[in-house]
Every structure is written in structure tokens, then in C-alpha cells.
Amino acid sequence: MSNDISLPEAKLDHALDEYYGFLHKVVKDNNGTVGSGQRLVTMNTITPYSIVKDKPLYNMFVLRAYADLVVRRGSAKDAGSPKKPPLDIIDSANSGDAWSWEYFRLAFPNLLQELKKYIQDPSVKAQITALESTWGGAYDAYREELEKLEEQWDEYAKKNGISEEKDPPRYYRLKAEWWRKRKDKVQRLYDKQFAILIEISDLELAHLDAKGLLLKDLKDNLSTGYQVKLPIRPELEDGVASDPTNSPGDYDRRPALYPATGTQVFNDLLDESNDGNEQQQLQRGYEIKRQKTTTYSHDTDWGASGSASKFFFLRANLSVSEKTHFEEQIKQLGSIQVGFRAIQYVMIVRGRWYSGAFLKSAAFQKWLEAQPEFREKLRHIVTSVIVCRGLIVKLNFQNDIHQNSWRDLKTKGSGGLSISGWNFGLSGHYNSRTDWDLKDVTNNSVTFADGPRVCRIIGLKVEDVLGDSAKPRSDFMVDSPISAELLADLVAAKISYGDFIDRVHQR
């Protein structure tokens, strides 16, 4: 039987504000500001995952999955993070809507039609329309062949006892060998559909005016030929991610998105040389005392109310007698300390397919009016991600506790264990229990800890990218390196995320 003990029962109903204030401090410690139109999204119940040493492409996949999530505000009566528990607003990285794909679904087909307005010759318009229809059939044939091979592999693996769960390296090695022997037809179908896209692009390039070429740049960088494939598991790191004949289930393909400082951020996060002892780790976190200490109010910022009641102190499979026993003990709780071995504040850069000025253009707003379901999906975009490693949660009691009952507290079933809002023992990307430990129990404290290499996405900085108007940009130019001054302006909220991306690409 599962029973929940919520923080208000522990007389710490301001816990969410303390956590929210800590996220603000992380931004400030990185010389940043949460500016107008920006918010911080709490991710306290997110499933832990393991960043893997020397696997930058896989690590990029994990980061991109979270940095590209759709952030939903909902209606005025159901607004903010988390008016509902966080997972109801931001789904897991595996199941949640991706911002870039929702944008693709709205923008790409509309851009195909919009571009024709800038071509004067009716015969060229007709030729492009015919080619687009041919491309649609060719692309469907390519995808159908990929999916057919995926089904055939599943049958082959099952028949021959090849198990991903039991032996992942062997599974993916044999799968790659199996696919290589059968991919010639897939390659031909891919080449056919891509050749049609090139033919369309050549016609556009020859007949579009300057404004049309601006839209063509966006459309081309959204097309599947320019999207980036990343491996969904570390075992696939050494494969050829760009190979269009690889199994579609093994690689995540999306419009380009990457950390501003490159893959070095993963090495920095995994560097254990500065982890220090428990006290040093707790200094990198925050403390929830009986009285509120932070000046920030989560619900006020998000226009929500009553969300603290969703912030559970203890969630586990407990019997009725166990629940009563723990309820008595948490009345003696004096404070909760939350710390980390390492924290990284990661700024996100999107490729040339993204333009803040285009989002605010009359054409894009018209498309939103015609398909209003996209407005809330695209309203907020993730501009920065707060990543931690080595979570530690320490409960400090005002009186002696029953130590054995805490030592016997284990995860049962698939729900794991939640302590003061932080989940332990949940499944990660390896479909197995994430490394964690009931680290220490004394007469007046209990300490829980992730394994030293377990990472979590704990917060997202988001910006409203559809609310304000902006003058359209007149032209695009080539990419250029990102200057430190430009990054500093974004962190300090001196410029909007849309302006940042436009300046990154010198548009």
C-alpha cells in the first residue's frame, strides 16, 4: 500500500520557495539574472540519469532531450510550474513533447507554401508543387523501409535470444552488423528523397527575392537533411550517427541544439577532484528551516497557488502502521539540507533554423491564429539548464529518532522512494535502478545520497518568446563563434533569447 506524507504535515510548507530561491542563486552565481519574461522551472522529481565518461554524443542526447522540452502553462486557472506536480507540466525526456518538433510541425509546411509567394513565375511554382508531392511519397517510402527493417530485427533478435536488457553491448553490436547487410535499399530510398529536396532548393535559390531567401534559410535548416542525429545509448557512441540507414530507434533526430560551451561541460560536470566532503557538498545546495529564509515566492512568480501541498516529504509504499510511525517522527524534523557534488549552469544554443524575429513576424503569428493549439506549446522556450551531480539530502531532527525504522526504509515496486521531494531508486536510461544509498543514520539525522556519478536536471530557465513584438531582421549572414560578451549579456538577461540566437548567427 502506498501512502504519502506531505511537507505541510512536517510544518515546512515553504520548501518549494527555498528550492526555487536556490535555483535563482545558481543563476546569480553564474553572473546571471532572471529578467522580464523569464521564469525558472523546478524539476525536483525528474528521473536521475548517468552521464557517461568519454561519450559526448550520448551526453548531448540526454541534455538535448531536456533542453528541448515543451513547457506548458495551461489556462489561467491552471498556470505555472508546478501548479500541478512538475511531471504533469514537464514530461520525462523520453515521452514529453519536443519544442523543436512542435515548431517543425507548424513552420515547415507553412514555409513551403509561404515561399511560393516570392516566386513570380507561375510555371516554377507549379514545378515546385509537383516536386513537393513527389518528395512526400519518396520520404514516406524511405521511412516505411526503415520501420519494416526495425520490425524484422525485433523478430530476429527474439528468435535468436539477443537481449538488450541482458547484454546491451552485444545487442547493439549484432544489430549494427544485421543492419549493414540490409541497408542498400534504405540508402537508395534516402538518396532519392534527398535529391528531390536539392532540386526544390535549386529552383528556390534561382527564383526567390531577398525576403524569400530569408525564409528559405529557415526552411532548409529545418529540413531532415540538416537535422542532427544523436545516439540514445552509450553503446552507439562509436557508430556513424549521420548514416541515414541506421535504425531510427537507435538515434534521436532533431533540429540542431547544443550547449554554448560545447561538450566540455560534461567533462567539467564529471570531474570529481573538487567534490570535497559532505559539508562542502551541502554548501553547494540549500537548507529548509522552520522559518522561510528566501525572498522568492514560486507561486507569485508563476501566478499559481497551493502548489506546496504537492511537494511531498515522504512518498513510499508504507503500511498504515508505518505511515503513522513516520508521521510522528517528522513532527520532530528541524531542517532539511540538500547539497550536490557538482553543479553546472548550461546555456543552450539553437541552430540557424531558429529565429526570434521570425517567431514574432506577421506570417508566423497568422499561422498560430489558424492553429492555436501550437501557441501554448511554443510560448516558452528553454534557454538554460541547471544540471547537478551527486545529490545529497540530510534530514536533521530536533530529538532522537527511531534509527532502525529509517534503516529499514527501502524502495518497493516501481515507484521508488521520494524524500522531501527528491526521488531515489527510479529507473534511468539503462532501464535499471539508479545508484543511490541510505548513506547514514544517527540518533538525530538521516542522510540519503545519489551515487557519485548520478546526474539530474534540476531546473530550467525559460523565456516567453511569443509575447512581445520585435522588428523583423532584414537579412541572414554566416555563423560566427560565440563571444564571451554575448554569453554574458544572455546570462544577465540584458538581451532576449531570440536576439541572442540571431546575434550568434549574425542575422
Side-chain angles (χ1 to χ4, degrees):
M1 179 179 179
S2 178
N3 285 284
D4 299 324
I5 303 175
S6 61
L7 272 169
E9 296 173 32
K11 308 303 181 186
L12 294 168
D13 51 346
H14 53 283
L16 183 58
D17 286 342
E18 302 294 344
Y19 173 47
Y20 187 63
F22 166 69
L23 296 181
H24 273 267
K25 182 178 182 297
V26 172
V27 175
K28 185 177 180 180
D29 288 346
N30 284 271
N31 300 312
T33 302
V34 180
S36 176
Q38 299 176 340
R39 296 287 185 274
L40 287 173
V41 177
T42 56
M43 299 286 285
N44 60 297
T45 60
I46 204 68
T47 301
Y49 64 89
S50 295
I51 283 179
V52 182
K53 186 178 181 180
D54 298 326
K55 300 293 182 181
L57 294 180
Y58 167 74
N59 296 336
M60 278 282 294
F61 155 70
V62 176
L63 177 68
R64 186 172 73 176
Y66 290 106
D68 199 27
L69 283 170
V70 166
V71 179
R72 304 174 187 273
R73 271 191 65 101
S75 68
K77 295 182 179 179
D78 187 27
S81 158
K83 170 67 173 178
K84 296 178 179 180
L87 287 179
D88 291 340
I89 292 176
I90 300 181
D91 297 318
S92 72
N94 292 331
S95 64
D97 291 336
W99 196 99
S100 63
W101 275 118
E102 294 303 314
Y103 174 80
F104 177 89
R105 288 175 56 212
L106 177 67
F108 194 73
N110 281 299
L111 279 168
L112 291 176
Q113 301 305 313
E114 188 74 14
L115 281 169
K116 296 184 181 71
K117 298 177 182 178
Y118 300 94
I119 296 176
Q120 303 303 315
D121 190 335
S123 65
V124 175
K125 289 184 180 181
Q127 190 177 354
I128 290 176
T129 299
L131 284 170
E132 288 172 351
S133 178
T134 303
W135 172 79
Y139 183 73
D140 288 345
Y142 157 65
R143 292 294 303 179
E144 287 171 7
E145 183 65 18
L146 280 176
E147 291 167 4
K148 182 174 73 174
L149 285 177
E150 189 73 31
E151 292 173 359
Q152 291 175 359
W153 161 255
D154 288 342
E155 294 174 1
Y156 176 84
K158 184 177 180 180
K159 180 179 179 180
N160 291 276
I162 304 172
S163 172
E164 177 187 9
E165 182 177 352
K166 293 180 180 179
D167 192 349
R170 177 175 180 268
Y171 175 90
Y172 286 103
R173 175 174 52 80
L174 294 177
K175 185 175 185 179
E177 293 173 359
W178 186 92
W179 272 76
R180 277 196 295 270
K181 297 175 182 178
R182 294 164 176 81
K183 71 179 186 178
D184 287 349
K185 183 178 179 180
V186 179
Q187 185 68 60
R188 290 194 301 272
L189 291 172
Y190 177 84
D191 291 344
K192 180 180 179 179
Q193 64 88 31
F194 192 69
I196 297 170
L197 285 178
I198 296 300
E199 192 173 353
I200 294 172
S201 180
D202 288 344
L203 283 169
E204 292 170 341
L205 190 62
H207 293 89
L208 287 171
D209 60 18
K211 190 171 182 180
L213 289 173
L214 174 79
L215 298 177
K216 172 180 164 53
D217 185 79
L218 289 173
K219 186 266 292 184
D220 286 350
N221 284 282
L222 271 176
S223 70
T224 55
Y226 291 92
Q227 291 171 4
V228 179
K229 290 174 69 175
L230 294 173
I232 66 170
R233 291 185 62 93
E235 291 86 357
L236 299 165
E237 178 82 9
D238 299 326
V240 183
S242 60
D243 186 345
T245 65
N246 278 328
S247 164
D250 295 345
Y251 293 88
D252 177 71
R253 180 198 290 271
R254 304 190 193 190
L257 180 156
Y258 48 93
T261 54
T263 56
Q264 177 61 35
V265 67
F266 304 118
N267 296 332
D268 293 342
L269 188 63
L270 291 173
D271 182 3
E272 299 183 42
S273 62
N274 294 317
D275 284 5
N277 57 26
E278 178 183 293
Q279 188 56 42
Q280 290 171 305
Q281 292 161 20
L282 290 172
Q283 288 173 1
R284 299 189 186 109
Y286 64 99
E287 185 173 12
I288 309 167
K289 299 181 179 180
R290 286 285 176 178
Q291 300 296 321
K292 180 179 176 179
T293 60
T294 183
T295 59
Y296 295 99
S297 174
H298 177 278
D299 288 355
T300 299
D301 280 2
W302 280 94
S305 62
S307 58
S309 63
K310 306 294 185 181
F311 206 72
F312 291 100
F313 171 73
L314 174 63
R315 174 177 282 169
N317 288 319
L318 303 173
S319 67
V320 174
S321 60
E322 287 175 324
K323 180 177 185 292
T324 302
H325 176 69
F326 279 109
E327 283 177 329
E328 289 300 316
Q329 292 198 58
I330 65 170
K331 291 178 182 178
Q332 305 301 320
L333 187 64
S335 68
I336 303 171
Q337 292 176 282
V338 179
F340 309 97
R341 290 174 177 260
I343 298 175
Q344 287 291 328
Y345 180 69
V346 186
M347 288 174 288
I348 302 302
V349 175
R350 287 163 175 82
R352 291 180 61 86
W353 57 271
Y354 181 88
S355 168
F358 179 61
L359 287 177
K360 298 169 186 175
S361 68
F364 194 84
Q365 293 299 317
K366 183 179 180 180
W367 303 341
L368 286 173
E369 290 175 7
Q371 296 178 272
E373 68 274 13
F374 283 99
R375 181 169 289 277
E376 283 304 316
K377 290 181 178 180
L378 301 177
R379 182 69 179 270
H380 292 91
I381 196 169
V382 177
T383 64
S384 304
V385 178
I386 300 174
V387 190
C388 74
R389 176 177 60 81
L391 167 71
I392 181 171
V393 178
K394 186 173 185 179
L395 311 179
N396 299 302
F397 296 88
Q398 295 173 326
N399 296 299
D400 290 352
I401 58 173
H402 298 90
Q403 297 181 44
N404 288 338
S405 62
W406 287 98
R407 292 192 179 100
D408 292 339
L409 187 61
K410 307 292 183 184
T411 58
K412 303 174 185 177
S414 60
L417 175 70
S418 178
I419 297 292
S420 67
W422 296 92
N423 284 342
F424 293 92
L426 291 176
S427 296
H429 284 279
Y430 289 94
N431 299 315
S432 60
R433 292 290 179 182
T434 303
D435 182 25
W436 73 284
D437 184 32
L438 178 58
K439 184 178 179 182
D440 187 34
V441 180
T442 70
N443 65 326
N444 59 6
S445 71
V446 180
T447 305
F448 299 84
D450 277 340
R453 303 184 72 81
V454 174
C455 302
R456 297 170 182 255
I457 304 289
I458 62 172
L460 307 174
K461 186 177 178 181
V462 301
E463 183 174 316
D464 183 345
V465 292
L466 296 180
D468 299 322
S469 62
K471 295 181 180 180
R473 307 292 177 185
S474 59
D475 59 359
F476 288 163
M477 298 176 66
V478 297
D479 290 325
S480 66
I482 304 171
S483 71
E485 291 79 10
L486 187 57
L487 288 173
D489 284 347
L490 174 66
V491 174
K494 293 181 180 178
I495 58 174
S496 70
Y497 186 72
D499 286 341
F500 168 72
I501 293 296
D502 283 343
R503 294 186 193 181
V504 164
H505 300 304
Q506 294 192 11
R507 299 196 287 236

